[in-house]
């Protein structure tokens, strides 16, 4: 019982860390520099 | 007959222009060949879509006579990126997402261009290109052919570091959010365990994991506050940071202690304080980042890049930065003067609105001085430099702005003032508690835990939330009404003002002259006079000429195109209508044409100008013009005067003009003939006398004053530089909104005070409980969430729009709606 709980907690922590790393990568790459333009870009045909 | 509007730029088409094209949409007309060229480029690239999707319908930037770009000079701004050449370009004239779309598509279709990204927020493009196929000059010419103004952009260290700071803040915030979510899962398990029972082992593990995820939140995400708190501790100036640091650290340390010794933990409190305060910081930062770019833009105005210098009879092209005193340069019509100078040869009309705010061009002849940044309108002249670029007028204004921005005393924010009293008090109570429990036979660790509990309960989120939430809600509510605050402290500054300084031209007046009366001579009737004058004036772009045409159109008086209309700079305009000679201009101009018949002196009030007209060689009548007062100017002054706040008009115009305008608007004092630096020193003098100054202006000449004042308010439609150096912006040039902004600021301060009172009330009930060691986690958790909810809910009241924008303001409705002083 206790082991299962611990395992799940650690697993969730790893999952969370994965998302966090994705976010860090996004910030470093400049994905958040311009948050206005992409929503219009989506509507462009090409 | 009016020709309608240009298909490309939507400007009114001048009368003598007939540029049309048969297209799929029928016959379309343009105002100039530049616009036709832009249209052909856009449709030639298959981007007609632009005309359908663009949002603006009013006049855009009509294409200038394209300047030539030097490839060698531009290459210096290019740099290597991923093995390709890249250049950053500031594109002036971008209004909407469609402009961004158009620029991206047009540039990317040039051969040799690899990639283009235009940032909508900064209007800055980064172009990746192959330097062997295309040079930057070709890219720049293409942008300028479309009617946008490209300028090379060098990444400056200040901007770089600001962007880096923004990224760092975002990382800290993101980290806090992710770890906070993990933490909440453990905390809920612990809450449940508290009520339902939990084995000590699992409780310990959960607390350990909580500690693991909280530590980075406090020490990485919260690092700015910890640094700030440490700094203010060293400087002995307690501020908000200390409050946050105390709250976060004390609950963190207490929880570690409880984890080891067994007990209830408060990790989530520490994490929540840090996260919520970070949100406020991020929002505030994004508003403030733009302030610095105003100065940058100003310096770019005078930066023509290159100028034609004549030395020993030889013309050569030089960088404007290399120009020295005594150099002679050639400036053609439509160019801005890159340096201050004296006209050595030729005469022209100069638009000096940059320096004086006055809309009428000034006539300059040989020997007259011109200032950098102003626009040469009509003639080509030779200019002798009197000051090099770094000492020129524009550079001095930029320095004035920077100095004023640096000198402005930071206000002691209400939250900081609170912290100054509160933090020492809480720490003192903590120490008292510890000593009292020790002296009454408690063990060391239980006494310490009680003391820490006092500090934890005394610093709940509510205190930290009191100011940011109120300011966020107020900014949101204000934005809906067209009022943009550039930062939270502006509301505090605005609420405290007790002196209002106004600019005249363009701020409380329309900024362009209009006809106020027509005085026909005896032998001609009024409408005939208007008709013939409008006919010859329609050839001119002079503001007075445009005012006559507008007047004729408003009175439905028909007029035709004049033949052979010629403009004499500084004099007037002459032409032929139906074989008869017509001339309009100053009295001396008509005399110089040999007009017979006496020209009467039109009794003119201060601030008005007269234009005289002759027909068939005889005097025919006169027009009187004035820069009209805005209809809402008196509402604005009436509001402030009714609150006992003095209003002062500072103008670059003559004293009598300033006085007549201030009398009409109900302003109590008027001072004319002030230069931009005079305005700054006036404001600073008043600040020394203890006044908190609100400055309202629109021009570049107001920019230093806007930066120096406690609150600088720019009106939309003003120059970009004024807008960016100011603290707040009123959209739509609705002066009445300034009264609304002031009321909102007052209301916000009232809400903030209420919030702080609420937070205190909860603390005051919690602290005694904690001091006697009677505080159980349930009470603590309840008190914390309840006070937070109260504070946030109270702040949200500011989101409610106080009134619809159309209703007239009067003092009675003001009080009815609860927008009176807090």
């Amino acid at each position: 019982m206790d082991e299962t709980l611990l395992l799940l907690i650690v697993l969730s922590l790893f999952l969370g860390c994965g998302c966090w790393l994705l976010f860090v990568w996004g910030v470093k790459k400049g994905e958040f520099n311009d948050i206005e333009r992409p929503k219009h870009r989506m509507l462009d045909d090409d | 007959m009016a020709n309608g509007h240009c298909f490309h730029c939507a400007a009114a088409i001048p009368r003598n222009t007939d540029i049309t094209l048969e297209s799929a949409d029928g016959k379309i007309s343009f105002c100039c060949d530049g616009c036709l060229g832009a249209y052909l480029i856009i449709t030639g690239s298959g981007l007609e879509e632009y005309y359908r999707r663009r949002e603006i319908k009013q006049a855009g930037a009509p294409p200038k006579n394209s300047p030539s770009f030097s490839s060698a000079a531009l290459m210096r701004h290019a740099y290597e990126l991923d093995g390709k050449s890249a250049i950053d370009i500031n594109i002036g004239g971008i209004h909407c997402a469609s402009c961004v779309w158009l620029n991206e598509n047009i540039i990317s279709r040039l051969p040799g261009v690899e990639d283009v990204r235009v940032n909508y927020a900064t209007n800055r493009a980064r172009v990746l290109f192959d330097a062997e196929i295309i040079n930057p000059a070709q890219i720049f010419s293409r942008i300028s052919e479309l009617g946008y103004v490209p300028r090379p952009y060098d990444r400056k260290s200040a901007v770089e570091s600001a962007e880096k700071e923004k990224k760092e803040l975002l990382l800290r915030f993101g980290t806090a959010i992710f770890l906070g979510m993990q933490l909440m899962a453990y905390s809920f398990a612990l809450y449940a365990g508290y009520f339902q029972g939990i084995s000590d082992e699992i409780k310990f593990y959960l607390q350990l994991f909580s500690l693991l995820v909280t530590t980075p939140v406090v020490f990485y995400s919260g690092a700015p506050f910890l640094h700030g708190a440490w700094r203010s501790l060293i400087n002995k100036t307690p501020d908000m940071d200390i409050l946050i640091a105390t709250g976060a650290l004390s609950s963190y340390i207490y929880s570690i202690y409880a984890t080891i010794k067994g007990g209830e933990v408060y990790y989530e409190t520490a994490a929540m304080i840090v996260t919520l305060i970070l949100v406020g910081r991020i929002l505030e930062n994004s508003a403030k980042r733009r302030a610095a770019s105003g100065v940058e833009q100003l310096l770019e105005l005078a930066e023509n890049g290159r100028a034609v210098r004549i030395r020993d009879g030889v013309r050569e092209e030089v960088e404007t930065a290399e120009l020295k005193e005594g150099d002679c340069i050639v400036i053609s019509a439509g160019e801005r003067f890159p340096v201050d100078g004296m006209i050595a040869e030729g005469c022209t009309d100069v638009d000096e609105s940059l320096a004086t705010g006055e809309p009428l061009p000034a006539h300059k002849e040989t020997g007259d001085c011109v200032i950098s940044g102003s626009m040469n309108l009509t003639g080509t002249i030779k200019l002798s430099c009197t000051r090099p670029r770094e000492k020129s007028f524009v550079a001095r204004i930029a320095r004035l702005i920077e100095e004023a921005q640096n000198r402005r005393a930071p206000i002691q924010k209400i939250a900081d003032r609170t912290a100054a009293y509160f933090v020492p008090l809480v720490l003192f109570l903590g120490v008292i508690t510890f000593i009292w429990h020790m002296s009454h036979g408690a063990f060391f660790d239980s006494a310490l835990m009680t003391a820490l509990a006092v500090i934890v309960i005394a610093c709940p989120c509510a205190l930290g939330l009191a100011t940011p939430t109120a300011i966020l809600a107020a900014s949101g509510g204000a934005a809906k009404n067209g009022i943009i605050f550039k930062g939270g402290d502006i509301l505090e500054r605005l609420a405290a003002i007790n002196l209002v300084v106004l600019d005249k031209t363009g701020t409380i007046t329309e900024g362009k002259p209009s006809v106020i009366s027509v005085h026909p001579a005896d032998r001609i009737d009024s409408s005939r006079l208007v008709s013939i004058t409008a006919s010859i004036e329609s050839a001119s772009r002079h503001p007075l000429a445009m005012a006559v045409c507008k007047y004729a159109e408003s009175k439905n008086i028909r007029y035709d195109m004049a033949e052979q209309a010629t403009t004499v700079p500084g004099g007037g305009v002459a032409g032929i209508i139906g074989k008869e000679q017509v001339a309009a201009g100053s009295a001396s101009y008509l005399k110089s044409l040999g007009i017979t018949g006496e020209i009467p002196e039109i009794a003119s009030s201060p601030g008005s100008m007269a234009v005289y007209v002759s027909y068939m060689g005889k005097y025919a009548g006169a027009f009187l013009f004035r820069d009209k007062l805005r209809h809402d100017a008196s509402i604005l002054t009436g509001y402030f005067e009714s609150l006992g706040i003095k209003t002062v008009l500072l103008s670059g115009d003559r004293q009598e003009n300033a006085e007549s305008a201030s009398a009409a608007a109900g302003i109590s004092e008027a001072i004319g003939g002030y230069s931009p630096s005079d305005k700054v020193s006036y404001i600073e003098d008043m600040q020394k006398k203890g006044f908190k100054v609100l400055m309202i202006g629109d021009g570049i000449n107001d920019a230093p004053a806007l930066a120096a004042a406690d609150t600088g308010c720019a009106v939309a439609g003003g120059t970009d530089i004024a807008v960016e150096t100011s603290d707040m912006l009123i959209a739509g040039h609705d002066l009445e909104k300034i009264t609304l902004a002031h009321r909102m600021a007052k209301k916000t301060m009232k809400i903030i005070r209420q919030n702080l009172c609420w937070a205190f009330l909860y603390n005051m009930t919690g602290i005694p409980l904690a001091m006697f060691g009677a505080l159980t986690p349930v009470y603590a958790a309840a008190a914390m969430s309840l006070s937070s909810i109260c504070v946030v809910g109270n702040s949200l009241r500011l989101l409610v729009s106080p009134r619809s924008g159309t209703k007239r303001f009067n003092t009675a409705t003001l009080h009815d709606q609860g927008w009176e002083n807090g």
Side-chain angles (χ1 to χ4, degrees), chain A residues 2 12 20 34 36-37 44, chain B residues 101 104 120 175 182 201:
Chain A
D2 278 7
S12 78
W20 177 72
D34 183 11
E36 194 64 20
R37 173 72 180 125
D44 298 349
Chain B
W101 176 82
E104 278 188 351
Y120 188 25
T175 310
Q182 299 280 334
E201 194 192 358

Side-chain angles (χ1 to χ4, degrees), chain B residues 9-304:
Chain B
C9 73
I13 296 173
R15 294 184 167 278
N16 46 356
T17 319
D18 184 29
I19 304 169
T20 54
L21 195 76
E22 286 296 336
S23 78
D25 302 335
K27 200 172 158 197
I28 49 178
S29 7
F30 299 93
C31 68
C32 59
D33 288 320
C35 282
L36 174 64
Y39 173 79
L40 290 176
I41 292 173
I42 292 170
T43 50
S45 312
L47 301 173
E48 300 89 341
E49 181 68 10
Y50 166 70
Y51 292 109
R52 274 185 289 280
R53 61 154 68 199
R54 64 175 173 179
E55 288 152 22
I56 52 149
K57 296 285 175 234
Q58 76 271 38
K64 314 267 180 319
N65 26 359
S66 279
S68 60
F69 295 99
S70 143
S71 186
L74 289 176
M75 260 328 258
R76 254 178 279 153
H77 299 282
Y79 55 94
E80 282 279 307
L81 192 79
D82 301 337
K84 295 184 198 83
S85 304
I87 188 164
D88 289 342
I89 311 173
N90 246 338
I91 303 181
I94 287 185
H95 297 289
C96 60
S98 302
C99 297
V100 175
W101 176 82
L102 180 66
N103 272 292
E104 278 188 351
N105 279 286
I106 289 283
I107 302 170
S108 68
R109 277 162 208 227
L110 288 170
V113 172
E114 314 251 336
D115 188 37
V116 195
R117 277 293 154 106
V118 181
N119 188 320
Y120 188 25
T122 56
N123 294 351
R124 206 175 294 144
R126 171 168 294 171
V127 183
L128 286 178
F129 61 98
D130 189 339
E132 286 179 5
I133 303 177
I134 193 167
N135 64 47
Q138 288 168 287
I139 301 171
F140 274 61
S141 324
R142 189 27 80 91
I143 299 172
S144 102
E145 276 161 13
L146 290 176
Y148 298 95
V149 188
R151 284 190 228 101
Y153 173 78
D154 283 317
R155 286 180 297 167
K156 304 215 170 55
S157 54
V159 181
E160 285 251 289
S161 68
E163 268 167 18
K164 200 170 146 237
E165 194 187 331
K166 185 194 158 205
K167 271 189 182 179
E168 248 179 45
L169 208 58
L170 203 58
L171 273 182
R172 288 182 204 282
F173 173 65
T175 310
I177 285 284
F178 280 113
L179 294 176
M181 288 194 296
Q182 299 280 334
L183 179 62
M184 277 304 151
Y186 312 142
S187 301
F188 268 93
L190 287 170
Y191 292 156
Y194 178 77
F195 288 108
Q196 300 177 347
I198 189 169
S199 84
D200 279 348
E201 194 192 358
I202 291 185
K203 188 173 165 187
F204 178 69
Y205 280 133
L206 284 175
Q207 290 182 346
L208 216 56
F209 275 111
S210 300
L211 170 63
L212 186 74
V213 294
T214 312
T215 311
V217 175
V218 173
F219 292 102
Y220 170 67
S221 299
F225 314 127
L226 296 185
H227 279 297
W230 181 244
R231 258 201 313 277
S232 71
L233 207 62
I234 291 172
N235 299 336
K236 296 196 180 65
T237 49
D239 62 7
M240 193 61 195
D241 281 344
I242 289 236
L243 200 69
I244 299 160
T246 322
L249 278 181
S250 61
S251 49
Y252 178 72
I253 292 166
Y254 174 91
S255 301
I256 294 180
Y257 201 76
T259 306
I260 300 166
K261 293 281 170 189
E264 302 307 321
V265 292
Y266 296 95
Y267 290 115
E268 73 276 14
T269 307
M272 195 151 79
I273 292 174
V274 171
T275 312
L276 287 173
I277 304 293
L278 271 177
V279 180
R281 285 275 163 103
I282 286 180
L283 290 165
E284 199 168 314
N285 251 32
S286 60
K288 271 188 182 155
R289 246 179 323 131
R290 299 198 57 183
S293 65
V295 176
E296 232 171 81
Q297 278 191 10
L298 181 57
L299 288 174
E300 277 167 5
L301 257 189
E303 210 165 345
N304 259 357

Side-chain angles (χ1 to χ4, degrees), chain B residues 465-478:
Chain B
L465 291 176
T467 321
T469 52
I471 281 170
L472 268 181
S475 307

Side-chain angles (χ1 to χ4, degrees), chain B residues 756-799:
Chain B
L756 289 173
C757 283
W758 274 119
F760 276 131
L761 210 69
Y762 281 103
N763 289 344
M764 288 312 144
T765 48
I767 288 174
L769 283 173
M771 283 180 81
F772 291 108
L775 188 79
T776 61
V778 193
Y779 291 138
M784 278 174 197
S785 6
L786 214 64
S787 61
S788 299
I789 288 169
C790 271
V791 162
V792 173
N794 194 30
S795 295
L796 285 181
R797 295 200 294 141
L798 285 166
L799 268 179

